[in-house]
C-alpha cells in the first residue's frame, strides 16, 4: 500500500548523486515547491504532507530530495564527508576536517547542480532543521532562484564549547553512538534498508 495517493516520479541527478521524487501539481500554477529534510533524515519524513500540498493547487511541481550522504542519496566515504570527530585529536573516529564553508558547499553544490538539471527556478524552498540552515545558505548564495524561503525549525552548528569532554571521558554509550553515526548508521538507515515503492 502506498502511503501517498499522489503519483510520484523519480528525478535523476547527474551520476545518481541525489535521491529525489517529484509530484505533479496544478499545471497552471507557476511556482515549484522544493522540500529539504533535516539531519539524518530523508524525503520520506514529509510523506504525510504530500497529498495536501498536491491538492492545494498552489504548485506546478513538488520536489523532495535527500541531501548528499543522507536518505537514499549517495554516501561519500568517511573522509570525503563533513563529519566532525569528538576532538581535533580524534583518530579512532572519522573526522574529515572540512572547514565550515567546505561543509556547506558539500551539501548545496550538488543541490544547485540538481536544480539546474531540472530547470527548477523561482521556487519556494522549504527547509526543516539542518535542511533549514542549508536552505538559508543556498538562498544567500543564489537569491535569484528563490521566490519564497520557509524555514521550519532551522538549526545551525555552533563552535565546539571550550569545555567539551575529551572522548575518553564520554560514557561508553555515547562513544558507540558517535562511532555508528560516523559510519553512516542512523535511524534513517532502517528506512533505507526497507527500499522504495516507486
Amino acid at each position: 500500500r502506498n502511503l501517498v495517493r499522489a503519483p510520484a516520479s523519480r528525478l535523476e541527478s547527474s551520476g545518481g548523486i541525489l535521491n529525489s521524487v517529484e509530484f505533479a501539481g496544478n499545471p497552471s500554477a507557476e511556482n515549484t515547491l522544493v522540500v529539504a529534510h533535516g539531519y539524518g533524515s530523508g524525503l520520506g519524513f514529509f510523506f504525510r504532507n504530500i497529498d495536501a500540498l498536491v491538492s492545494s493547487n498552489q504548485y506546478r511541481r513538488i520536489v523532495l530530495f535527500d541531501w548528499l550522504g543522507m536518505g537514499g542519496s549517495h554516501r561519500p566515504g568517511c573522509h570525503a564527508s563533513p563529519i566532525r570527530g569528538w576532538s581535533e585529536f580524534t583518530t579512532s573516529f572519522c573526522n574529515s576536517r572540512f572547514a565550515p564553508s567546505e561543509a556547506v558547499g558539500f551539501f548545496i553544490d550538488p543541490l544547485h547542480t540538481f536544480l539546474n538539471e531540472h530547470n527548477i527556478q523561482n521556487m519556494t524552498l522549504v527547509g526543516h532543521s539542518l535542511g533549514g540552515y542549508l536552505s538559508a545558505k543556498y538562498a544567500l548564495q543564489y537569491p535569484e532562484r528563490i521566490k519564497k524561503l520557509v524555514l521550519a525549525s532551522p538549526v545551525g552548528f555552533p563552535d565546539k564549547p571550550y569545555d567539551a569532554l575529551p572522548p575518553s571521558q564520554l560514557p561508553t554509550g555515547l562513544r558507540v553512538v558517535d562511532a555508528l553515526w560516523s559510519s553512516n548508521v542512523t535511524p534513517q538507515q532502517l528506512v533505507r534498508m526497507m527500499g522504495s515503492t516507486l
Side-chain angles (χ1 to χ4, degrees):
R1 161 170 153 6
N2 287 336
L3 298 174
V4 176
R5 287 191 311 270
S9 58
R10 285 199 184 278
L11 291 177
E12 297 298 322
S13 66
S14 60
I17 290 177
L18 294 186
N19 178 48
S20 60
V21 294
E22 176 179 14
F23 297 89
N26 179 356
S28 61
E30 294 180 15
N31 202 6
T32 295
L33 177 69
V34 177
V35 182
H37 65 78
Y39 186 66
S41 185
L43 59 83
F45 185 78
F46 299 102
F47 81 91
R48 290 181 184 243
N49 305 102
I50 299 306
D51 289 325
L53 289 167
V54 169
S55 63
S56 76
N57 289 320
Q58 293 182 33
Y59 304 102
R60 177 183 293 269
R61 303 163 72 185
I62 298 164
V63 176
L64 288 78
F65 71 95
D66 289 328
W67 291 106
L68 182 60
M70 298 182 211
S73 289
H74 175 72
R75 290 182 174 235
C78 179
H79 294 285
S81 303
I83 297 172
R84 186 183 210 180
W86 282 107
S87 81
E88 60 188 76
F89 306 108
T90 300
T91 56
S92 59
F93 300 121
C94 179
N95 192 346
S96 63
R97 310 239 190 267
F98 273 39
S101 62
E102 292 172 312
V104 169
F106 173 87
F107 293 108
I108 68 172
D109 293 348
L111 173 61
H112 187 64
T113 299
F114 170 79
L115 295 172
N116 280 337
E117 288 173 348
H118 295 287
N119 195 29
I120 299 174
Q121 300 179 47
N122 194 33
M123 67 181 139
T124 295
L125 180 57
V126 175
H128 172 254
S129 189
L130 177 64
Y133 173 80
L134 294 171
S135 294
K137 288 289 198 176
Y138 184 86
L140 288 169
Q141 192 164 340
Y142 302 103
E144 69 281 359
R145 301 197 68 138
I146 307 296
K147 182 175 181 180
K148 292 181 186 174
L149 176 64
V150 179
L151 304 177
S153 190
V155 69
F157 292 99
D159 291 334
K160 190 183 305 183
Y162 70 91
D163 57 349
L165 290 175
S168 60
Q169 292 181 11
L170 291 173
T172 303
L174 251 153
R175 289 190 306 216
V176 169
V177 167
D178 177 62
L180 290 171
W181 195 270
S182 296
S183 299
N184 288 323
V185 178
T186 67
Q188 189 65 23
Q189 186 69 22
L190 298 173
V191 174
R192 290 169 59 92
M193 292 180 350
M194 292 171 47
S196 171
T197 59
L198 293 179

